[in-house]
């Protein structure tokens, strides 16, 4: 039996002895009853002491993070201190000592559990979702003959976007179909729009203007010519060749419209300075949450001829001349013109179109065919068509509120 048990028993024995001395004057029967009651109390006290000694000490808590261990250690220290105090003060009852020990153990368990839960919650992390902000393609316009295929290469920005999945669609599946990975197949004559959309951010997309033409007819085999009857030679008048077409510069500006043409072999490609300034423009628009991209840049003489002839077949001469330039009369052949985004009237109501109308000149561009000036430029309103003039000239034209024809004092009309 431990020291605590012996001390408790000694206290009980002393208490009984003193009581017996006090009851000696009592009758014999009274003494027997009192002694029996004291004996029962003694046995009860010894039983409680025995149960106390058999009680197991609380298990040591498992290893926890630094913060949790510190809290548990402080609680354990308080528990030991409470036990030692109870042992030294022998006037305390066995019931009080047991209650103190049990209460201290429950408190230690509660603190440890709460601290562990808090530590687990703190270490939880979330994965940041980075959306696609813009899409660029290797080309934004393509002309195919029936049966031909093409596939633009798609780049989504930023590079660390969480979801770069693509969704492809076509405005007219009868003219050109599109596969799930972006393969365009020409099916019938006409024009349509192929769109690629970000699956993670459906508000971001890019488009390809597809022009489908019929394959060239197969020439029939030529038959050997029959020799015509011999006739007396006829003298023909001398033929005077028309002067070759040359690029026209007015006040240092290359001018191309219905009045002024370019030669068929003029083939400079997209001007590097024009492209560099356009890239800066795109970045400035993106900083304001706008998506502007190149849909059509340089076009050769032959390319423009195919486009014009397609319009001619659909709309006839008069309307076609308000929608498309004849070969040699297109600003795209200069390498200084860029069509942006969707080449449709709906683009004029977008925030991008409004931003271009207000800020394009800051980067050296003008809206070449503005609204309400069709009778001067010769073409319908094209909010997507930019012409590069350089920073100073573009600012001067913009400030004047005039078209390029009005600014230079020239006309725009075909000779025939």
């Amino acid at each position: 039996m431990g020291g605590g048990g012996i001390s408790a028993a000694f206290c009980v024995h002393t208490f009984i002895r003193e009581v017996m001395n006090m009851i000696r004057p009592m009758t014999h029967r009274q003494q027997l009853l009192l002694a029996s009651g004291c004996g029962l109390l003694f046995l009860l006290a010894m039983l409680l002491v025995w149960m106390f000694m058999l009680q197991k000490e609380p298990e040591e808590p498992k290893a926890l993070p630094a913060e949790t261990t510190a809290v548990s250690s402080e609680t354990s220290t308080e528990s030991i201190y409470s036990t030692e105090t109870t042992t030294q003060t022998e006037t305390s009852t066995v019931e009080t000592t047991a209650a103190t020990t049990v209460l201290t153990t429950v408190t230690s368990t509660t603190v440890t559990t709460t601290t562990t839960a808090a530590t687990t919650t703190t270490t939880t992390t979330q994965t940041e979702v980075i959306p696609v902000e813009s899409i660029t393609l290797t080309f934004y316009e393509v002309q195919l003959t029936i049966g031909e295929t093409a596939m633009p290469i798609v780049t989504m920005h930023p590079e660390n976007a969480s979801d770069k999945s693509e969704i492809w669609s076509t405005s007219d599946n009868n003219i050109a179909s599109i596969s799930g990975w972006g393969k365009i197949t020409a099916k019938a004559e006409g024009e349509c729009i192929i769109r690629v959309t970000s699956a993670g951010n459906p508000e971001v997309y890019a488009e390809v203007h597809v022009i489908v033409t019929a394959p060239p007819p197969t020439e029939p085999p030529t038959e050997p010519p029959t020799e015509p009857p011999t006739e007396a030679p006829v003298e023909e008048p001398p033929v005077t060749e028309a002067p070759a077409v040359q690029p026209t510069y007015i006040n240092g500006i290359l001018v191309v419209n219905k009045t002024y043409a370019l030669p068929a072999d003029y083939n400079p490609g997209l001007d590097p300075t024009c492209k560099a300034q356009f890239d800066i423009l795109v970045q400035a628009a993106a900083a304001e949450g706008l998506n502007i991209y190149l849909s059509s840049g340089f076009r050769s003489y032959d390319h423009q001829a195919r486009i014009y002839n397609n319009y001619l077949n659909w709309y006839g001469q008069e309307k076609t001349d308000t929608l498309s330039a004849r070969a040699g009369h297109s600003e795209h052949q200069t390498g200084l013109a860029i069509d942006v985004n969707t080449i449709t009237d709906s683009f004029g109501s977008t925030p991008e179109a409004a931003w271009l109308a207000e800020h394009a000149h800051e980067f050296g561009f003008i809206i070449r065919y503005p609204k309400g000036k069709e009778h001067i430029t010769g073409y319908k309103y094209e909010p997507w068509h930019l012409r590069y003039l350089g920073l100073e000239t573009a600012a001067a034209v913009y400030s004047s509120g005039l078209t390029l024809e009005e600014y230079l004092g020239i006309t725009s009309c075909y000779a025939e």
Side-chain angles (χ1 to χ4, degrees):
M1 184 178 293
I6 295 174
S7 298
F10 177 77
C11 290
V12 174
H13 177 72
T14 302
F15 174 76
I16 294 175
R17 185 181 63 185
E18 293 295 325
V19 171
M20 292 297 294
N21 290 334
M22 294 174 60
I23 64 174
R24 289 184 190 280
M26 296 182 181
T27 64
H28 181 68
R29 184 178 179 181
Q30 292 174 336
Q31 290 177 354
L32 288 175
L33 291 173
L34 184 59
S36 298
C38 291
L40 289 174
L41 288 174
F42 176 79
L43 291 175
L44 179 60
M46 293 300 294
L47 179 61
L48 291 174
V49 170
W50 179 72
M51 292 176 63
F52 170 73
M53 297 304 299
L54 290 179
Q55 182 180 356
K56 294 182 179 180
E57 296 182 2
E59 297 180 1
E60 294 183 3
K62 297 180 180 180
L64 298 172
E67 179 183 355
T68 306
T69 306
V71 175
S72 301
S73 300
E74 291 176 3
T75 307
S76 300
T77 304
E78 292 177 1
S79 177
I80 296 171
Y81 178 79
S82 300
T83 305
E84 290 178 354
T85 304
T86 306
T87 304
Q88 293 174 0
T89 309
E90 295 182 355
T91 57
S92 301
T93 63
V94 175
E95 291 84 346
T96 304
T97 304
T100 303
T101 305
V102 173
L103 178 59
T104 304
T105 304
V106 172
T107 303
S108 175
T109 304
T110 303
V111 172
T112 302
T113 304
T114 304
T115 307
T116 304
T119 304
T120 304
T121 303
T122 303
T123 56
T124 303
T125 57
Q126 295 182 350
T127 304
E128 181 182 1
V129 178
I130 302 175
V132 173
E133 298 177 358
S134 64
I135 299 175
T136 56
L137 306 175
T138 49
F139 60 84
Y140 297 88
E141 183 177 80
V142 63
Q143 183 161 346
L144 304 171
T145 58
I146 296 174
E148 287 185 336
T149 62
M151 186 168 67
I153 297 175
V154 179
T155 304
M156 295 194 176
H157 308 279
E159 294 183 359
N160 60 339
S162 303
D163 185 359
K164 293 186 177 181
S165 303
E166 306 165 3
I167 300 175
W168 290 89
S169 60
T170 176
S171 63
D172 193 335
N173 192 59
N174 294 324
I175 295 175
S177 62
I178 186 70
S179 68
W181 58 90
K183 182 181 180 181
I184 305 169
T185 302
K187 300 171 66 176
E189 287 187 84
E191 293 189 26
C192 67
I193 299 295
I194 299 294
R195 174 178 291 189
V196 56
T197 304
S198 166
N201 186 6
E203 296 181 358
V204 177
Y205 61 87
E207 294 180 335
V208 179
H209 180 208
V210 180
I211 303 170
V212 181
T213 59
T218 305
E219 296 182 0
T222 58
E223 297 180 359
T226 58
E227 295 183 1
T230 305
E231 295 182 359
V234 177
E235 293 184 3
E236 297 182 357
V239 177
T240 50
E241 296 182 0
V245 176
Q246 297 296 328
T248 302
Y249 289 85
I250 300 176
N251 296 340
I253 300 172
L254 177 58
V255 177
V256 176
N257 61 11
K258 293 182 178 182
T259 302
Y260 303 94
L262 290 172
D265 59 355
Y266 189 85
N267 190 27
L270 186 59
D271 183 82
T273 304
C274 171
K275 180 60 168 63
Q277 286 299 113
F278 179 76
D279 291 340
I280 296 174
L281 178 151
V282 169
Q283 294 173 5
E288 298 188 26
L290 302 175
N291 182 29
I292 295 177
Y293 52 89
L294 187 151
S295 291
S296 180
F298 172 77
R299 295 178 195 162
S300 68
Y301 184 98
D302 292 338
H303 186 177
Q304 186 64 33
R306 289 193 296 270
I307 294 175
Y308 180 83
N309 289 334
N310 287 333
Y311 276 100
L312 194 63
N313 293 333
W314 299 330
Y315 302 113
Q317 183 80 55
E318 183 177 355
K319 186 174 181 179
T320 295
D321 282 338
T322 67
L323 302 175
S324 180
R326 299 178 186 179
H329 293 268
S330 171
E331 281 202 324
H332 286 280
Q333 192 181 345
T334 67
L336 298 170
I338 290 176
D339 287 345
V340 303
N341 293 36
T342 55
I343 308 176
T344 60
D345 292 339
S346 60
F347 176 71
S349 60
T350 64
E352 284 79 3
W355 187 89
L356 284 172
E358 185 176 352
H359 298 285
H361 68 281
E362 299 171 6
F363 306 90
F365 295 89
I366 63 169
I367 305 298
R368 182 64 176 88
Y369 307 120
K371 195 172 187 178
K373 301 284 188 172
E374 292 84 351
H375 62 290
I376 298 173
T377 64
Y379 297 102
K380 68 185 290 292
Y381 172 46
E382 294 188 1
W384 60 82
H385 185 103
L386 303 179
R387 167 64 195 272
Y388 182 72
L389 297 175
L391 295 175
E392 293 184 4
T393 305
V397 174
Y398 173 81
S399 299
S400 71
L402 304 174
T403 64
L404 187 59
E405 280 77 13
E406 293 173 308
Y407 183 80
L408 296 177
I410 60 177
T411 61
S412 178
C413 56
Y414 291 123
E416 54 182 27

